[in-house]
Amino acid sequence: MPEEAERFWFAFVLYLVRRLSEKNGENLQQGSNDNEFNLCHILRVMKLNIVDFFKELPQFLVKSGPILSNIYGADWENRLEAKELQANFVHLSILSKSYKRIYREFFLPSDANGDKQSAAASTSGYVSDYHRFGWLLFLALRIHAFSRFKDLVTCTNGLVSILAILIIHVPVRFRNFNIHDSSRFVKKSNKGVDLIASLCSIYDTSEDDLRKIMEKTNTLIADILKKKPCEASECKNENLENIDTDGLIYFENLMDDSSLSSSLNILEKDYDNATRNKGELDERVFINEDDSLLGSGSLSGGAVNITGAKRKFDSLASPVKTITSPLSPHRSSASHPNGIAGGATSKMVVTPVSTAMTTAKWLRTVICPLPSKPSAELERFLKSCDKDVTTDVMRRAHIILEAIFPSSGLGERCVTGSLQGANLMDNIWAEQRRLEALKLYYRVLEAMCTAEAQVLHAKNLTSLLTNERFHRCMLACSAELVLATHKTVTMLFPAVLERTGITAFDLSKVIESFIRHEESLPRELRRHLNSLEERLLESMVWEKGSSMYNSLTVARPVLSAEINRLGLLADPMPSLDAIATHINFSSGGLSPVHSLHKHETSPGQNGDIRSPKRSCTDYRSVLVERNNFTSPVKDRLLGLNNLKSKPLPPPLQSAFASPTRPNPGGGGETCAETGINIFFCKINKLAAVRINAMVERLQLSQQIRESVYCLFQQILNQRTSLFFNRHIDQIILCCFYGVAKISQLNLTFREIIYNYRKQPQCKPQVFRSVFVDWASARQSGRSEQDHVDIITFYNKIFVPAVKPLLVELGPAGTAMKTNRVSEVNHSNDGPCPGSPKVSVFPALPDMSPKKVSATHNVYVSPLRTSKMDALISHSSKSYYACVGESTHAYQSPSKDLTDINHRLNSNRRVRGTLNFDDVDVDVGLVSDSMVANSLYLQNGSAAASTCAVLKPEQPDP
């Protein structure tokens, strides 16, 4: 509604002016504290919530971008840090829920001022002073110790340190645990429970890291709250009974009724002073989960659900599952000393926090013990090149990783002067991340070299190991996995691309091979790489400055003029020496790599990545690489779920060969043509999955599905320029409406958009903001570039471009095909030589979970092997597992399943709903990329659909 839109826009304008003016060093309200405000103040006044604010912000930024550039400069978006702020909100939402759950596992939700009944407190959302103290102390730790690198793993370590402080200071009468509980406190000595080691065991934290953060937390308490620390071993207090006090610090009267209130006031004031004039979120709001300001719904295109019953933290964790794992505190079955029973089960729900800690444990236990230099086997490969490249590889790795994880002391200054500077914490953090990425890089590089040598039957891998772009892609992928493991806020993708000088198209070449050659990679990191590949394919490779366009000009020279006119070509990749100079890199004993610049620019290696300002008519010297390391002939099954059964790919060296060099896989194609064809195959497979999902939602026929897919393929091959600077979903949505109109279906654009909103990858800007170039559309009197809604794009750009292809889908289309062959061959947008024929809709593999009803949201997923083994064991006495909630009071699996079938198959409307939130499965809804990569490439021509002639009418809004 206009009234609501006005409130949103007022909030956006006020926040942007507040934020960008502060970044410019302007003081909006000089000398007046009464007029200070932050984002939370703005949203409360405008009666908006945070989730809705971030959902609508991207659309506002697109519309107001030119104005903001004129006022605040071209880098306004980087200074605004909107994505970082949103990620920070998501992390804090996750952490606050984790803290609330952990607190209630260990303490009664009662107040220090009286014995308020815990049951009533828990249901009313009441927050005790002890609970609030812990959260405020955690926020102080984030501000003073963690600085800019507030990653999820470090913050979780901080929360665990806060928990340790609370355990030894909160009065015993408020405990909800028994210190003798051996299932919870598993680490003990003759002196009692080893508290730190036990907490590390529960939460998969590093004991060394936790002890270091504990020191910072103790220093924080001493400096801010002015409490005197003393060795716990020298103190006599009932809180410390049966606890090994060696190395622990105790603060007298920290949680006493007399001092708790003043401590809370001091922490509140410290937070106010530290965040004044920053205009960001007031992170204290997360202490109250019921605060309307937090809102409900999802962020990141449906990937991250913040509140509500169904929380799908797709980008942070697996869908909910129940496993036996030390990821959440174990509730003891023993009775509580105060008469309150503890928990009853050791099976815990996996959360985003626990998943992040599990993945970090893999990095800590598998990668960190590796050497920080090439292994003996990798050195043999490096020395077997035409010349020894060991020094080159090591120097490059150090420069690139220094660029990704800088330690130049750019962090914020520590507010409390007596505390250890946060810059030092940043430097330590960056050094640790560099080492992790370096070790992972060397490990995967060795595996790749071993596999490549087996394929080539040779140890000399000169062309691969001297290729600058290949190494940077490998380093970027390693660094991205490290960043994904720690869930950083300030270094979100595509930060690694910007800092290494490569593009999204470059990175897409190593993702599959990276996964293939690191078998120990946790499932969450595999999913992260799948998700990245999906993002790359759907939009990032089509953006201005993508090196895909440099490859496309070679494989399809007729597109050079349009690519050049729009300025889409990638800029030259910065040299390694330029990056080293920019970060003020010190070689530290590593000699300069004299041959690097040569390898970066010489034809036959990386070619010449031309600037958008340079002509690309002489396309032979333009950089081209294959899109992937696999050939459509030799490796038709591109699934990531069955890596071990896949045939070996052709040599990696061919992926970075000269663009005009014949493809070693045969077929008479150049490497450029093969690369673009493989890239197009991936686009088609991703589109097939998304088209199929939309067909199911819209309950359309298979004939319509075939027609939409056929049209999409034809547009990709014959009207490729429609994809330039756009999202593939924009083309898919237009294909649906175009096919619906020519098939005379009663389907409006409103219905299409309504159902597209339910797709997991949906982002509102996809249909609200579509790039148009009015010059290419030949609109009279208009030559500028703009962003319009998808209906305007459909009418003004899409229909004029694809009308002949749409007509082909109609009854008269078959007769017209023969007459259009010559037109296509002479078209500047015609298919490139050797491009695959339009194929019928591919046979999609069984997805897990599989939708078993066209009209109900019911999914079935196979039971994982480990669970199946447990169920059919002699002790279980059961061969069945019933998932979800029972439809009535539990009777038996057979009766429940019969009732479910009856309800699904009946035509009557059922008021009750089935709850499948607690399904005990190993995997949730798979990402499009996982399914797309497991499709078979199929050739053949699509059967023409019997459709009506297109009626050029205005689409329904």
Side-chain angles (χ1 to χ4, degrees), residues 453-515:
Q454 291 175 353
V455 173
L456 297 175
H457 305 289
K459 288 280 187 179
N460 190 332
L461 306 177
T462 300
S463 62
L464 178 69
L465 294 177
T466 58
N467 190 284
E468 180 71 15
R469 190 171 296 269
F470 164 72
H471 284 289
R472 291 199 195 183
C473 289
M474 289 290 295
L475 288 163
C477 199
S478 299
E480 177 59 30
L481 287 179
V482 169
L483 290 168
T485 296
H486 289 271
K487 300 290 188 298
T488 60
V489 170
T490 55
M491 298 180 69
L492 301 173
F493 188 82
V496 293
L497 303 183
E498 299 162 359
R499 300 188 183 193
T500 55
I502 62 174
T503 71
F505 186 64
D506 298 328
L507 187 65
S508 70
K509 300 172 187 177
V510 301
I511 288 179
E512 180 189 348
S513 198
F514 202 100
I515 295 175

Side-chain angles (χ1 to χ4, degrees), residues 119-136:
S122 60
T123 56
S124 64
Y126 170 78
V127 177
S128 74
D129 285 347
Y130 300 122
H131 188 171
R132 186 173 185 82
F133 175 87
W135 185 253
L136 290 174

